[in-house]
Amino acid sequence: MSEIRVALTIAGSDSGGGAGIQADLKTFHRFGVYGASALTLITAQNTLGVQAVHLLPPELVYRQIQSVAQDLPVHAAKTGALGDAPIIRAVAQGVRDFGIGPLVVDPVMVAKGGDRLLAAEAVKALVEELFPLASLITPNRLEAEALLNRPIRNLEEAQEAALALLRLGPKAVLLKGGHLEGEEAIDLLATPEGVEAFPAPRISTRNTHGTGCTLSAGITALLAQERKLADAVRQAKRFISQAIQTAPRLGRGHGPLNHWAEEAVDDP
């Protein structure tokens, strides 16, 4: 039997099960990777929105990372919602102390409605503490605009933004194109070697809850299996398209994806 690969998600809990830790663990399992977790915050949440949030103590977040890393072989990790600057600093300390990587940072900063989820101090900590440790960051357009303090209105500006984000310290940037206009959703992967486009047909649906979490979790699972970054992005993006197209249509708001989607998952 081949070695079991382990991926760690450091993120918040979504009580509705469509995003956060729950989506990450479902995705890890779907890609054949053992999932471990470190909770950063707890939400009362469903497809209609977030009704309440409780941040966990930073020292408890660190201890969760420590417990996992001192017992399990963590082959890759990802971060999601981190809540505030002290938690971000605790996560960064854990990543450094236990040599965790590759690390995918999903900078959960802006809600679907446009509300900011991180205060300015927390954004500063994210950029200064976590981005330099990241193998990949996966912002959407709204998050990229907040990070760079400038609008991104078209594909040319998105390409410039991806390269600007790369200069903030991560090894690579996946700027997601779901919020840009056009018939295709074009994600841009920026590395020191250049920018590569990953187009996919745009799907008209309200069942998109947890898309960012699931995409970054898929990439993380594939990196845990030692896939090359561009291949991991390509396969995870195919999985997302299938998961959206076959979504179970649950809830009265933005419904969750189909984490059982099969077509796009290749054997390692």
Side-chain angles (χ1 to χ4, degrees):
M1 178 182 290
S2 60
E3 179 188 11
I4 294 176
R5 309 301 287 183
V6 177
L8 169 65
T9 171
I10 306 167
S13 170
D14 172 5
S15 55
I21 289 279
Q22 288 83 350
D24 292 345
L25 293 176
K26 292 173 187 177
T27 305
F28 290 167
H29 183 79
R30 188 65 196 86
F31 278 86
V33 171
Y34 181 88
S37 63
L39 278 173
T40 57
L41 55 89
I42 300 168
T43 68
Q45 184 176 175
N46 54 29
T47 65
L48 298 173
V50 178
Q51 290 78 49
V53 180
H54 174 70
L55 304 187
L56 295 180
E59 58 271 21
L60 180 58
V61 176
Y62 178 90
R63 288 297 299 273
Q64 292 177 82
I65 297 169
Q66 180 183 42
S67 292
V68 173
Q70 289 185 335
D71 186 44
L72 302 177
V74 178
H75 297 105
K78 64 151 291 188
T79 66
L82 297 178
D84 64 10
I87 292 176
I88 291 170
R89 286 192 284 267
V91 170
Q93 190 64 49
V95 170
R96 287 191 296 265
D97 286 352
F98 305 107
I100 293 173
L103 176 69
V104 176
V105 174
D106 184 9
V108 180
M109 296 171 50
V110 183
K112 272 188 168 56
D115 294 330
R116 292 290 290 266
L117 301 177
L118 284 181
E121 179 191 4
V123 174
K124 184 173 184 288
L126 188 71
V127 172
E128 294 180 354
E129 297 277 350
L130 269 185
F131 279 15
L133 303 174
S135 303
L136 176 72
I137 64 171
T138 61
N140 60 32
R141 191 205 82 198
L142 300 177
E143 289 157 349
E145 288 180 336
L147 286 165
L148 298 172
N149 195 29
R150 71 192 203 203
I152 302 170
R153 293 160 293 201
N154 52 51
L155 193 60
E156 181 179 355
E157 291 182 350
Q159 182 167 325
E160 293 171 356
L163 292 171
L165 289 168
L166 190 63
R167 292 192 286 271
L168 294 180
K171 293 183 176 66
V173 175
L174 182 66
L175 178 51
K176 296 175 289 189
H179 289 81
L180 290 171
E181 295 183 357
E183 294 183 0
E184 290 186 311
I186 302 176
D187 296 350
L188 299 176
L189 178 63
T191 67
E193 286 71 44
V195 179
E196 183 175 357
F198 293 84
R202 190 176 297 279
I203 302 168
S204 179
T205 178
R206 67 187 179 95
N207 299 306
T208 56
H209 183 53
T211 303
C213 304
T214 302
L215 177 65
S216 58
I219 295 169
T220 303
L222 290 160
L223 292 178
Q225 296 169 341
E226 299 184 336
R227 300 293 187 91
K228 292 183 178 179
L229 179 58
D231 292 340
V233 169
R234 186 176 296 107
Q235 186 175 335
K237 190 170 169 67
R238 290 205 316 269
F239 176 75
I240 282 291
S241 293
Q242 184 72 3
I244 294 173
Q245 288 173 342
T246 60
R249 300 182 182 181
L250 291 172
R252 293 180 290 124
H254 293 285
L257 311 181
N258 173 23
H259 290 96
W260 294 285
E262 296 182 3
E263 183 174 309
V265 178
D266 298 334
D267 292 330

